[in-house]
């Protein structure tokens, strides 16, 4: 077995210390110049075993020949080490030549609408991995509800269904063949790039060569090269001219192959790409291979691979991300951001998704607060998932159902309203498929959405899940909205967008729920959405009057809700506002938006 570490001899340490002084460096400065931690540098100068690549890199930086610095006992015998030495030399040579390319492709990221790209290491937040894919668990709806307090449902996040988690890098280290599933915006690509840069800098699996491949780009390369030829071309672009370098490294198990975005491959290219991955995984089984893919994409069978899922962010990860985002700005801005999330649980729930957390940071950055009108923020998040996220990255999905974003939103609004009205946060797949089918069949004749009548409802549901992540499978055959606030927002949207002849009936149905705590957010969203909230607030006042004779707590809860709606960012005429405030014996505060 080849030795993968070296240690300096006593004489070698003295030469290295002299070279350190000669180069006007300290151990800390040397570590920083090599982009590695201080620990391996300290171990090097203490004569302790250090990873071979780092040992050689330190020697080269100091202008020393590593073989003259290493202790003879740490170097394999010449008789049995000639081949090993050649492999180690090739690994080091290739790592050096691809280093800049890996850093350029993986070490810099763009975050939504932020004007400047960012260094990955300045914003990266550790990813946690669920060792069981959520949608594969066999749980009943009552078992899922055990994870929450139904009576006080607001603080509950659907993403927090209890399950053990491990750090992402630990999972990659533990399983040499890994399939990582994740919802849209869960950070799969960012994590894979982090693995590449950590390996590239010698912090992780530093005796291997990282090879990062965007599968969409590989699939669309002209000439349809094999995966082996594609990797060879990547190496050649970096100046790797050693013959059969890729095949040699793969044969010796000295690469970590990072394949990003299997779900982004076009249907026409998919079979070929799958065959290429399986061929490489089978032929070069000694290498680490990590594939990322969106949850609910097609069922892929990779027999050698362990399947895991990216976990949503917890409170600690949210705070860590915010601290890095606002670093260098107002010192208290990150703390204020986290505090505001704590005060507004629906926003905190959105923040468990890294993509939506990025959106929240962008919004908060300018005003050091969130907008008073939450509807605008939720709509922006919805638009991001429905269309903008894929568009920004130039990804064209295989369209199972072809229609406008508005049609998709209408369908989701119908599902949201129906399920929320029935107090359903989890619902069976067959029930949702039936609602999808019913919605399509009720569309007016000539609607372009009618094309989907020939498409199976299950395919539409899976397409919504993989493309947008707004409906997700929480256990086998059981779905929910990805975030409760989207269910409430879309339910409110369904109410206020009712056709004119049903508008008042829809509002009357809503006000019947005034004393129910779980409807509070729906009321606040509805008054913000309405172009004129007079009618809804008047109906709410009548409903409040009818509660006078009922239980006192119901009346007080309903009254508080009406006051909060009056104080929200909604349009209401001065006459209606004054009338309601007078009957409630409230001081007239006027309105920011009156006629």
């Amino acid at each position: 077995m080849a030795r993968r570490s070296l240690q300096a001899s006593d004489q070698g340490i003295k030469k290295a210390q002299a070279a350190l002084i000669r180069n006007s460096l300290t151990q800390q400065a040397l570590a920083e110049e090599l982009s590695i931690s201080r620990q391996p540098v300290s171990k090097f100068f203490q004569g302790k075993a250090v990873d071979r690549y780092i040992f050689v890199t330190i020697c080269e930086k100091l202008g020393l020949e590593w073989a003259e610095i290493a202790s003879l006992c740490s170097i394999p015998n010449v008789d049995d080490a000639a081949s090993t030495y050649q492999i180690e030399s090739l690994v080091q040579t290739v790592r050096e030549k691809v280093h800049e390319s890996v850093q350029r492709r993986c070490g810099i990221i763009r975050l939504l609408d932020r004007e400047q790209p960012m260094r990955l290491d300045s914003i990266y937040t550790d990813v946690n991995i669920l060792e069981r894919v959520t949608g594969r668990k066999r749980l009943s709806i009552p078992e899922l509800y055990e994870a929450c307090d139904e009576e006080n449902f607001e603080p509950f996040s659907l993403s927090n269904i209890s399950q053990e988690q491990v750090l992402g890098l630990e999972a990659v280290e533990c399983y040499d063949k890994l399939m990582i599933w994740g919802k849209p915006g869960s950070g799969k690509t960012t994590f894979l790039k982090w693995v590449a840069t950590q390996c590239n800098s010698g912090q992780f699996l530093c005796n291997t060569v990282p090879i990062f491949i965007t599968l969409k780009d590989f699939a669309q390369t002209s000439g349809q090269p094999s995966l082996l030829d594609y990797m060879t071309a990547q190496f050649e672009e970096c100046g790797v001219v050693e013959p059969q370098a890729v095949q040699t490294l793969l044969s010796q198990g000295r690469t970590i192959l990072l394949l990003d975005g299997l779900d982004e491959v076009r249907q026409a290219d998919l079979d070929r790409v799958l065959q290429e991955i399986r061929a490489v995984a089978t032929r070069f089984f000694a290498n680490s291979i990590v594939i990322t893919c969106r949850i609910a994409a097609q069922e892929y069978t990779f027999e050698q691979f362990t399947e895991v899922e990216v976990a949503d962010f917890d409170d600690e990860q949210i705070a860590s991300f915010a601290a890095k985002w606002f670093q260098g700005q107002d010192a208290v801005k990150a703390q204020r951001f986290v505090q505001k999330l704590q005060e507004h649980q629906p926003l905190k729930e959105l923040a468990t998704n890294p993509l939506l957390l990025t959106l929240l940071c962008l919004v908060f950055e300018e005003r050091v607060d969130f907008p008073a009108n939450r509807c605008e923020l939720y709509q922006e998040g919805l638009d991001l998932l429905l269309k903008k996220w894929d568009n920004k990255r130039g990804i064209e999905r295989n369209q199972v159902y072809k229609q406008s974003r508005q049609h998709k939103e209408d369908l989701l609004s119908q599902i949201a309203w129906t399920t929320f009205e029935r107090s359903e946060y989890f619902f069976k797949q067959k029930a949702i498929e039936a609602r999808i089918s019913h919605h399509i069949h009720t569309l007016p004749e000539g609607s372009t959405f009618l094309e989907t009548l020939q498409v199976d409802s299950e395919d539409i549901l899976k397409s919504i899940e993989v493309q947008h992540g707004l409906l997700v499978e929480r256990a086998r055959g059981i779905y929910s909205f990805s975030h409760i606030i989207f269910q409430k927002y879309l339910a409110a949207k369904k109410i206020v967008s009712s056709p004119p002849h049903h508008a008042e009936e829809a509002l009357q149905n809503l006000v019947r729920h005034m004393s129910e705590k779980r409807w509070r957010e729906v009321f606040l969203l509805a008054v913000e959405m309405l172009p004129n909230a007079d009618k809804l607030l008047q109906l709410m006042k009548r409903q409040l009057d009818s509660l006078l004779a009922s239980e006192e707590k119901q009346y007080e809860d309903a009254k508080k809700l009406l006051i909060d709606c009056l104080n929200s960012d909604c349009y209401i005429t001065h006459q209606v506002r004054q009338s309601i405030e007078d009957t409630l014996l409230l001081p007239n505060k006027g309105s920011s938006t009156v006629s």
Side-chain angles (χ1 to χ4, degrees):
M1 189 73 178
R3 296 175 188 265
R4 292 186 173 179
S5 62
L6 294 170
Q7 60 193 76
S9 64
D10 291 342
Q11 192 63 32
I13 293 172
K14 291 179 182 178
K15 289 182 179 180
Q17 289 172 335
L20 198 67
I21 295 170
R22 189 166 58 250
N23 286 278
S24 302
L25 290 170
T26 62
Q27 290 185 25
Q28 179 64 41
L30 177 61
E32 290 175 357
E33 287 205 14
L34 295 175
S35 299
I36 61 177
S37 66
R38 170 69 183 274
Q39 184 182 24
V41 174
S42 298
K43 289 170 69 176
F44 174 94
F45 283 97
Q46 292 168 11
K48 296 181 179 179
V50 176
D51 177 86
R52 178 182 292 271
Y53 173 75
I54 293 180
F55 186 98
V56 173
T57 302
I58 290 173
C59 291
E60 289 178 348
K61 183 65 181 177
L62 295 175
L64 303 169
E65 289 293 331
W66 69 269
E68 296 176 4
I69 303 302
S71 169
L72 290 177
C73 66
S74 70
I75 303 177
N77 293 329
V78 173
D79 290 342
D80 62 9
S83 176
T84 299
Y85 176 79
Q86 291 174 352
I87 294 298
E88 296 295 341
S89 177
L90 178 62
V91 170
Q92 294 157 18
T93 298
V94 174
R95 282 182 62 97
E96 290 167 6
K97 290 184 177 179
V98 304
H99 184 275
E100 183 180 346
S101 174
V102 172
Q103 285 302 119
R104 185 176 64 253
R105 294 176 61 218
C106 300
I108 303 294
I109 59 173
R110 285 295 297 268
L111 296 173
L112 292 182
D113 296 330
R114 193 158 192 170
E115 289 82 2
Q116 298 295 327
M118 299 180 71
R119 280 178 44 190
L120 179 60
D121 59 5
S122 72
I123 192 65
Y124 180 77
T125 302
D126 285 334
V127 164
N128 289 334
I129 295 293
L130 304 173
E131 293 190 275
R132 288 193 64 195
V133 178
T134 305
R136 309 266 177 84
K137 294 184 295 184
R138 295 184 182 276
L139 297 175
S140 65
I141 289 178
E143 287 173 322
L144 289 171
Y145 274 116
E146 286 179 8
C148 64
D149 176 4
E150 288 186 75
E151 190 173 327
N152 187 29
F153 207 81
E154 290 299 320
F156 172 69
S157 171
L158 292 174
S159 62
N160 288 339
I161 298 169
S162 179
Q163 189 180 157
E164 283 191 23
Q165 304 179 7
V166 298
L167 282 173
L169 288 178
E170 289 180 8
V172 175
E173 199 166 24
C174 182
Y175 305 108
D176 65 350
K177 303 290 183 297
L178 203 60
M179 179 76 162
I180 300 180
W181 299 91
K183 297 187 288 291
S186 59
K188 302 179 296 298
T189 298
T190 303
F191 171 65
L192 216 58
K193 288 185 174 182
W194 179 250
V195 175
T197 58
Q198 289 297 284
C199 179
N200 200 40
S201 63
Q203 304 291 308
F204 181 71
L205 299 181
C206 50
N207 59 327
T208 63
V209 176
I211 303 177
F212 183 93
I213 294 176
T214 301
L215 288 173
K216 176 175 71 74
D217 294 343
F218 162 62
Q220 296 176 12
T221 301
S222 61
Q224 299 187 349
S226 68
L227 194 52
L228 189 61
D229 288 342
Y230 187 78
M231 289 186 279
T232 300
Q234 273 196 1
F235 274 25
E236 289 175 350
E237 288 177 3
C238 298
V240 177
V241 295
E242 287 74 8
Q244 302 293 311
V246 171
Q247 188 160 335
T248 301
L249 292 172
L250 288 168
S251 298
Q252 296 295 317
R254 301 304 294 273
T255 75
I256 176 168
L257 192 54
L258 305 167
L259 307 176
D260 185 46
L262 184 56
D263 58 285
E264 297 171 5
V265 176
R266 296 178 305 193
Q267 192 68 38
D269 300 316
L270 189 56
D271 285 344
R272 177 173 60 86
V273 171
L274 292 174
Q275 288 174 9
E276 286 293 330
I277 294 173
R278 291 190 185 108
V280 168
T282 301
R283 180 180 176 187
F284 304 109
F285 58 87
N287 298 271
S288 292
I289 305 178
V290 185
I291 308 172
T292 62
C293 186
R294 279 190 183 180
I295 281 177
Q298 297 183 30
E299 292 290 335
Y300 306 112
T301 303
F302 297 102
E303 293 184 357
Q304 306 168 48
F305 284 69
T306 297
E307 298 188 38
V308 297
E309 180 180 343
V310 178
D312 288 337
F313 272 6
D314 58 23
D315 289 356
E316 185 178 340
Q317 289 168 305
I318 292 170
S320 174
F321 184 93
K324 292 175 180 178
W325 181 280
F326 296 112
Q327 187 176 13
Q329 302 182 38
D330 184 347
V332 300
K333 192 176 282 189
Q335 294 177 1
R336 182 171 172 80
F337 176 82
V338 173
Q339 178 188 343
K340 285 289 183 181
L341 290 182
Q342 295 291 348
E343 293 172 3
H344 301 282
Q345 288 295 326
L347 294 180
K348 183 181 174 185
E349 191 200 358
L350 291 184
T352 61
N353 177 286
L355 175 63
L356 296 176
L357 174 57
T358 301
L359 172 63
L360 293 174
C361 286
L362 275 168
V363 170
F364 192 87
E365 193 167 31
E366 292 186 7
R367 62 178 79 197
V368 198
D369 203 348
F370 294 111
N373 190 319
R374 295 284 189 268
C375 283
E376 296 174 1
L377 187 54
Y378 300 147
Q379 184 62 51
E380 191 170 353
L382 201 63
D383 289 342
L384 187 60
L385 293 175
L386 281 173
K387 186 174 181 180
K388 292 181 180 177
W389 182 228
D390 278 348
N391 285 356
K392 281 178 179 293
R393 297 175 300 145
I395 296 170
E396 295 181 14
R397 299 280 170 188
N398 298 313
Q399 292 288 335
V400 173
Y401 63 126
K402 297 181 175 69
Q403 73 285 335
S404 68
R405 184 195 62 76
Q406 186 59 53
H407 274 136
K408 294 178 184 179
E409 196 172 302
D410 290 344
L411 171 59
L412 289 165
S413 294
Q414 180 62 51
I415 295 171
W417 164 250
T418 307
T419 54
F420 192 79
E421 189 179 36
R422 297 180 183 181
S423 301
E424 295 175 354
Y425 298 99
F426 301 105
F427 22 85
K428 293 201 171 175
Q429 179 175 337
K430 292 299 181 186
I432 290 301
E433 289 172 7
R435 286 166 189 162
I436 291 173
S437 179
H438 174 74
H439 177 77
I440 295 172
H441 281 84
T442 57
L443 290 171
E445 188 175 350
S447 170
T448 56
F449 207 176
L450 291 177
E451 296 173 27
T452 60
L453 286 175
Q454 305 303 316
V455 180
D456 191 278
S457 293
E458 180 181 3
D459 291 337
I460 295 177
L461 175 58
K462 290 293 183 182
S463 185
I464 291 172
E465 184 177 9
V466 70
Q467 289 182 31
H468 315 306
L470 289 163
L471 291 173
V472 294
E473 196 169 13
R474 298 295 183 183
R476 196 176 291 272
I478 299 174
Y479 279 76
S480 78
F481 277 86
S482 57
H483 300 85
I484 293 176
I485 191 57
F486 282 144
Q487 186 179 13
K488 294 180 177 181
Y489 173 78
L490 288 164
K493 198 154 194 176
K494 175 65 177 175
I495 296 166
V496 301
S497 61
S498 298
H501 57 286
H502 288 307
E504 184 164 348
E505 180 185 355
L507 295 180
Q508 287 174 339
N509 287 335
L510 174 62
V511 298
R512 293 193 186 103
H513 300 287
M514 267 187 76
S515 58
E516 298 175 44
K517 184 175 181 179
R518 71 186 192 91
W519 284 85
R520 171 183 166 77
E521 198 74 27
V522 178
F523 277 91
L524 292 170
L525 292 168
V527 295
E528 286 184 0
M529 288 183 201
L530 286 165
N532 185 323
D534 285 359
K535 187 63 179 179
L536 176 55
L537 288 165
Q538 287 170 327
L539 289 171
M540 288 175 70
K541 178 60 176 65
R542 284 184 213 161
Q543 180 70 8
L544 180 65
D545 292 341
S546 71
L547 290 172
L548 264 173
S550 64
E551 185 182 336
E552 182 178 349
K553 186 178 186 308
Q554 285 189 353
Y555 174 79
E556 290 301 326
D557 287 346
K559 180 178 178 180
K560 184 178 185 307
L561 174 60
L562 178 54
I563 294 170
D564 288 343
C565 287
L566 279 170
N567 293 330
S568 68
D569 186 20
C570 68
Y571 181 97
I572 177 173
T573 60
H574 179 72
Q575 293 86 347
V576 171
R577 173 182 291 278
Q578 187 169 31
S579 171
I580 294 175
E581 288 177 344
D582 287 347
T583 56
L584 291 175
L585 301 179
L586 297 176
N588 193 302
K589 299 177 183 178
S591 170
S592 58
T593 314
V594 296
S595 62

